[in-house]
Amino acid sequence: MSKPVRTRFAPSPTGYLHIGGARTALFNWLYAKKHGGDFILRVEDTDESRNTDEARAAIFEGLAWLGISVDEGPNEGGGCGPYNQSERQDIYEKWFQKLVVAGRVYEDAGAWRFRFERKPITMHDMVCGEVTIDYTDESINPDMTVKRSNGAFVFHFVNVVDDIEMGMTHVIRGEDHLMNTPKHLQLFEALGEEPPEYAHIPLILNQDGSKMSKRDEGAAVAGYSEMGFVSDAVVNYIAMLGWSSKGDQEVFSVDELVRYFDLEGVNRSGAKFDVEKCAWFNQQHLLAMGGDEFAALAVPYVEGAGVAVDGDYVRMAGSVQEKVKLLAEVPGMISFFRDGDYPFDDAAMEKVRGNEQAVVLLEKLAESFSGLSDWGEAKGSIGETAKANGAKPGQLMFPTRVALSGMMGGPDLGEILSILGQEESVRRLRRAIGELS
């Protein structure tokens, strides 16, 4: 009977949560959830000189925002703790003594080196396939330090010990760790323990093919919420960076990602990050929402811009649901509803002035609007007014939009008229006529 699946994410709290780290966490989480297993958060905080409380908080907050739930970790606890490496020194010392007894380590200038077996080591990676490193030539692969002269244990050793102690069955990590794995396999063998399955995933690249760094656009997970992304869309997008389903489907709910994710679908080549593509995914997720949910998610952005969310707010937000890619765009798209003295877009007004009939047509429309007994006919009367005055409907539609909103684009005209009502719509037409005249 196979062991229950256990995967982990082991970040260092030395900087914000990078999109590459988030994808590593996501792939581990998806694999664990797909197989009914557990996802463990382990914090590699042994570098006291570089650790910060802010970076530590950013890891926890970033994972929580993405919806990546932790089964065992520093905050959740669990049977394999502590989950901070800084608290595990006694555990490392215990396993180090096993290497001492086995004669696999020796002292060198105060530090301790692990004695490699001089033979080829072959690993069977679930993404990269079979990889062999030959340790026969000591000049190419010298014995590695596992304990420094100050008593601190190095990454390779504590990584292996933690994976043993925490019962890891699968280690999914970036391909920049691929060449470390044969070293780890030698440690597992020396300690008499079964290694986990390994899967090394491709790096995330910029559009020019360079490795995505912490300074590049879109690198910090913390910035996505501020920009107006919803977490499910970001999860969807980063899942598609280096993985694809067997079909043509691109837009997935989180539940669907759990259902369909497999390591066979992970590509070997690096995945290029595209913030515009991420925004497209966000738009698809916004379009799939109910109007009430969309309006509720937009509230923090709308309130932050000083736009009221009472009265017809839900209808106002709903009127732009199909127009926006990001929630942060909502306040700018609906503020004209609340502000009767909105500024007119210069380019829009210039285009209206290029239509010699615009002022006359708007005056006729104001008269037509004033005389309507059924406001539900308002949108239809735009085309009728244009035709009655020898113009095409389009020649009046655009000036009407600019007059009512001050903008070139935005919600459907019928929705604008319905929300504004008869009296306010007429007033805005007359205001625009005055501006044009």
Side-chain angles (χ1 to χ4, degrees), residues 209-223:
S210 62
K211 181 181 176 182
M212 192 177 191
S213 75
K214 291 185 175 183
R215 295 178 299 277
D216 293 321
E217 182 183 22
V221 171

Side-chain angles (χ1 to χ4, degrees), residues 2 7 41 382:
S2 60
T7 66
L41 176 62
I382 299 173

Side-chain angles (χ1 to χ4, degrees), residues 3-304:
K3 298 178 183 177
V5 167
R6 289 174 64 82
T7 66
R8 47 80 164 175
F9 178 50
S12 299
T14 56
Y16 59 73
L17 182 60
H18 185 274
I19 200 72
R23 187 193 58 169
T24 297
L26 177 64
F27 280 17
N28 278 280
W29 183 82
L30 289 173
Y31 192 83
K33 298 304 115 179
K34 167 76 175 283
H35 296 281
D38 290 324
F39 171 72
I40 291 85
L41 176 62
R42 185 172 80 214
V43 180
E44 297 188 344
D45 60 345
T46 53
D47 190 346
E48 293 183 12
S49 64
R50 297 179 61 215
N51 296 338
T52 69
D53 292 339
E54 292 79 11
R56 185 182 182 87
I59 293 169
F60 297 143
E61 291 166 5
L63 293 178
W65 183 76
L66 290 167
I68 298 177
S69 55
V70 176
D71 296 300
E72 298 176 26
N75 293 339
E76 295 75 16
C80 299
Y83 294 90
N84 297 309
Q85 283 188 341
S86 59
E87 302 172 37
R88 298 176 61 81
Q89 190 73 8
D90 291 346
I91 296 171
Y92 303 142
E93 189 62 48
K94 179 188 72 174
W95 286 92
F96 175 72
Q97 289 305 316
K98 291 190 176 185
L99 295 179
V100 173
V101 171
R104 293 299 299 273
V105 290
Y106 60 92
E107 195 170 3
D108 178 19
W112 288 83
R113 289 182 175 273
F114 174 71
R115 184 177 285 111
F116 284 127
E117 285 196 7
R118 297 300 163 186
K119 63 181 182 180
I121 298 293
T122 298
M123 58 175 289
H124 302 278
D125 190 88
M126 297 177 75
V127 172
C128 300
E130 194 170 279
V131 178
T132 299
I133 301 294
D134 192 349
Y135 284 87
T136 304
D137 188 344
E138 188 172 351
S139 66
I140 298 174
N141 291 299
D143 292 339
M144 69 174 173
T145 300
V146 290
K147 189 178 185 179
R148 298 187 179 93
S149 57
N150 64 1
F153 292 101
V154 303
F155 160 78
H156 300 293
F157 180 70
V158 299
N159 190 277
V160 166
V161 169
D162 287 344
D163 284 345
I164 293 170
E165 285 270 330
M166 296 182 184
M168 293 302 120
T169 61
H170 297 79
V171 171
I172 304 168
R173 58 189 180 187
E175 65 178 15
D176 49 337
H177 285 290
L178 183 63
M179 292 300 101
N180 291 332
T181 304
K183 300 175 185 177
H184 298 178
L185 291 176
Q186 285 235 29
L187 282 168
F188 276 105
E189 186 177 15
L191 293 168
E193 298 290 336
E194 190 75 23
E197 295 283 335
Y198 286 95
H200 289 86
I201 59 181
L203 300 178
I204 296 179
L205 309 174
N206 292 311
Q207 286 296 297
D208 63 3
S210 62
K211 181 181 176 182
M212 192 177 191
S213 75
K214 291 185 175 183
R215 295 178 299 277
D216 293 321
E217 182 183 22
V221 171
Y224 281 84
S225 176
E226 185 177 336
M227 288 187 285
F229 286 88
V230 292
S231 59
D232 284 4
V234 176
V235 165
N236 189 169
Y237 178 61
I238 62 175
M240 306 304 287
L241 286 175
W243 173 79
S244 59
S245 64
K246 293 181 174 65
D248 296 327
Q249 183 177 349
E250 283 190 289
V251 180
F252 294 87
S253 67
V254 175
D255 287 343
E256 287 176 321
L257 286 173
V258 171
R259 189 181 319 138
Y260 294 119
F261 182 80
D262 55 37
L263 291 171
E264 289 77 19
V266 176
N267 306 319
R268 281 297 315 276
S269 57
K272 290 186 177 181
F273 180 86
D274 183 351
V275 71
E276 286 301 318
K277 183 68 172 181
C278 190
W280 178 84
F281 273 97
N282 201 66
Q283 185 177 36
Q284 306 314 303
H285 281 262
L286 294 180
L287 287 171
M289 292 177 183
D292 288 348
E293 181 186 4
F294 173 80
L297 288 172
V299 164
Y301 304 91
V302 175
E303 287 185 331

Side-chain angles (χ1 to χ4, degrees), residues 358 360-362 364-369 372 374-404 411-418 425 429:
V360 172
L361 289 172
L362 287 172
K364 294 294 184 182
L365 184 62
E367 293 172 10
S368 175
F369 277 0
L372 286 176
D374 181 0
W375 188 238
E377 298 175 357
K379 185 178 180 181
S381 73
I382 299 173
E384 293 171 4
T385 301
K387 289 177 183 177
N389 290 276
K392 295 178 180 178
Q395 289 177 277
L396 183 52
M397 288 286 187
F398 182 75
T400 302
R401 173 178 294 284
V402 176
L404 296 175
D412 178 78
L413 262 180
E415 195 66 12
I416 293 176
L417 290 164
S418 177
S425 295
L429 288 182

